[in-house]
Amino acid sequence: MLKRTIDITLSLILLILTMPLLLLVALLIKLSDRGPVLFWQTRIGQNGCPFKLMKFRSMAINAEKVQAVYRGRNIHADNLTFKMKRDPRITWIGKHLRRWSIDEMPQLVNVLKGEMSMVGPRPPLPHEVKHYGPYEKKRLEVKPGLTCLWQISGRSDLPFAIQVKLDRRYVETRNLLLDFKILLKTLPVILLGKGAY
């Protein structure tokens, strides 16, 4: 209950404080190509429950349809998760939004709704979860979060196996003190923009 109270309080405060920035970003995205401002994507939450994750759109409108074309440029060798350096599908504004994780800020609404937490494993895609075994499913025992251990330890540079290992460590040792430590370490990681694609 205390963690949920902290989630509600922090997400509400951050949404209010960043509202001018959010409105400016929305305007810039709309002006860039007249496409939708928000990108909605099905993700898997706690106990395998799907939900609609909100992001600022940082890619071209047809980005998901053409992903297969770039499969060979995936930096994750296991091909379970997909990350590509200098992704040509990313818009000019999307590049800046991703570097400082501004594209993730609408997920504060997901936190406010109770679908996510401020801290927890990042929510996976449905097709990724289909390949999970018992070891990987451990990360689904808690609410997904805006930030997590691997976000402050290398972000997208880390291979999937290490991400899972760190998520499992969080699930097995989680407490409010750890959450605060992760939140505090997240800010400099975002400002440096390292490991963000």
Side-chain angles (χ1 to χ4, degrees), residues 37-158:
V37 169
L38 293 173
F39 174 69
W40 300 80
Q41 190 175 51
T42 300
R43 296 291 183 107
I44 303 301
Q46 188 174 20
N47 299 320
C49 295
F51 70 98
K52 289 291 184 181
L53 176 135
M54 289 175 62
K55 297 178 75 171
F56 277 128
R57 184 174 60 84
S58 61
M59 288 190 168
I61 298 169
N62 66 340
E64 287 193 305
K65 293 179 180 178
V66 300
Q67 180 175 304
V69 175
Y70 302 103
R71 181 61 63 180
R73 293 172 60 183
N74 190 0
I75 64 169
H76 290 172
D78 52 53
N79 277 320
L80 182 59
T81 52
F82 184 84
K83 287 291 177 181
M84 177 172 57
K85 291 184 178 180
R86 293 178 292 278
D87 192 328
R89 300 173 300 159
I90 298 175
T91 61
W92 67 270
I93 179 129
K95 179 175 68 173
H96 301 292
L97 297 181
R98 283 173 168 241
R99 181 176 181 185
W100 292 293
S101 295
I102 297 171
D103 62 319
E104 309 282 357
M105 290 179 70
Q107 289 163 44
L108 288 167
V109 176
N110 291 117
V111 175
L112 199 58
K113 291 169 64 179
E115 297 163 331
M116 293 177 64
S117 178
M118 293 299 294
V119 181
R122 290 294 294 154
L125 292 160
H127 73 83
E128 295 170 356
V129 175
K130 285 181 181 179
H131 298 282
Y132 280 10
Y135 182 82
E136 292 82 10
K137 284 182 179 177
K138 183 78 175 176
R139 68 198 314 221
L140 301 178
E141 290 183 8
V142 299
K143 279 185 185 178
L146 287 177
T147 185
C148 59
L149 278 175
W150 61 263
Q151 287 280 81
I152 61 171
S153 305
R155 297 172 86 176
S156 296
D157 285 331
L158 296 178

